[in-house]
Amino acid sequence: MNVFLGITGASGAPYAARLLESLAAAGCEIGVCASRAGIEVLATELYDDPTLPRDEVLARLLERAEGHVELFDPQDWSAPYASGSAKVDAYVVCPCSMGTLGTVASGAMQNLIHRAASVALKEERRLVLMPRETPLSAIHLRNMLTLREAGATILFLAPGFYHGARTLDDLVDFVVARALDQLGLEQELAPRWGQE
Ligand SMILES: Cc1cc2nc3c(=O)[nH]c(=O)nc-3n(C[C@H](O)[C@H](O)[C@H](O)COP(=O)(O)O)c2cc1C
């Protein structure tokens, strides 16, 4: 399965890292593109150093999926993910900032992440957006509805606690498990309701 993973500047870098590992473990080919703000959040939340250079942040992150990842620059319009003619099975943006959400909802495309999401919608392919913000303005809510109506899945970064979560990893796994379900990938990260 070929999956595009866009990483933008909303809080939630541990979700992106776990999702990347899980996609690699499932044998996916993954095209990764991180926005400038996405890099800052990864550096802050995973490596505790917002000033860490982009290349270093990406080298550390992509180690988790060695052999499965190709990295793309946000302005790389020659990337396969910039065109509907490329064979891509699914597109995920995790975490998805309200900035990216609003840009995609407006139909504007300022970087490869916006473009890939727009391609997914126009080609009627699976697009999973994983936003995080709180509280939400009427503009945020309208943008999410617009995207849902256009065919995207809105998978909010809001873990449940009903599966007996004890650690932060359990909460991260809960959300990533739901994302893998949406992509049709087998996962055993979190127990299913009603499962022993
Ligand atoms: C540490 C950090 C945390 C942030 N958290 C959020 C967030 O949770 N949700 C959000 O929509 N924006 C958040 N932002 C602001 C976005 O990064 C900002 O709007 C940026 O322009 C988004 O650009 P992008 O969509 O190209 O990544 C955060 C920024 C930083 C530096």
Side-chain angles (χ1 to χ4, degrees):
M1 187 164 170
N2 187 308
V3 180
F4 174 82
L5 173 61
I7 300 174
T8 70
S11 184
Y15 296 112
R18 192 75 173 117
L19 182 57
L20 183 68
E21 278 171 6
S22 303
L23 291 172
C28 296
E29 284 172 57
I30 315 155
V32 170
C33 181
S35 69
R36 196 165 155 178
I39 295 287
E40 188 174 338
V41 173
L42 288 166
T44 304
E45 296 184 345
L46 292 182
Y47 310 121
D48 216 10
D49 178 4
T51 67
L52 207 61
R54 178 183 181 87
D55 289 352
E56 179 63 28
V57 171
L58 287 168
R60 290 194 198 180
L61 179 76
L62 301 186
E63 259 176 14
R64 298 167 186 254
E66 239 173 80
H68 291 266
V69 185
E70 194 173 349
L71 178 66
F72 294 92
D73 187 87
Q75 300 306 318
D76 183 358
W77 305 113
S78 66
Y81 302 101
S83 168
S85 64
K87 291 268 293 168
V88 181
D89 300 293
Y91 303 72
V92 189
V93 182
C94 174
C96 182
S97 75
M98 290 297 138
T100 287
L101 195 101
T103 307
V104 177
S106 76
M109 294 163 233
Q110 296 183 343
N111 64 31
L112 181 62
I113 300 171
H114 309 146
R115 173 66 187 162
S118 297
V119 166
L121 294 177
K122 83 183 175 73
E123 301 293 336
E124 300 184 41
R125 294 179 187 157
R126 168 63 73 198
L127 170 64
V128 180
L129 300 173
M130 301 175 68
R132 190 263 149 211
E133 181 58 287
T134 198
L136 294 164
S137 72
I139 294 170
H140 298 144
L141 290 164
R142 276 194 205 104
N143 285 339
M144 281 191 268
L145 182 58
T146 298
L147 288 163
R148 180 69 196 108
E149 287 174 345
T153 297
I154 307 293
L155 203 160
F156 218 78
L157 293 178
F161 291 79
Y162 58 79
H163 61 307
R166 294 283 174 273
T167 66
L168 283 181
D169 284 346
D170 292 340
L171 296 174
V172 170
D173 284 353
F174 176 95
V175 171
V176 171
R178 301 314 322 278
L180 297 172
D181 281 349
Q182 288 298 319
L183 298 174
L185 291 168
E186 288 301 317
Q187 59 80 20
E188 292 182 2
L189 288 180
R192 294 182 188 282
W193 187 248
Q195 215 179 37
E196 284 299 309

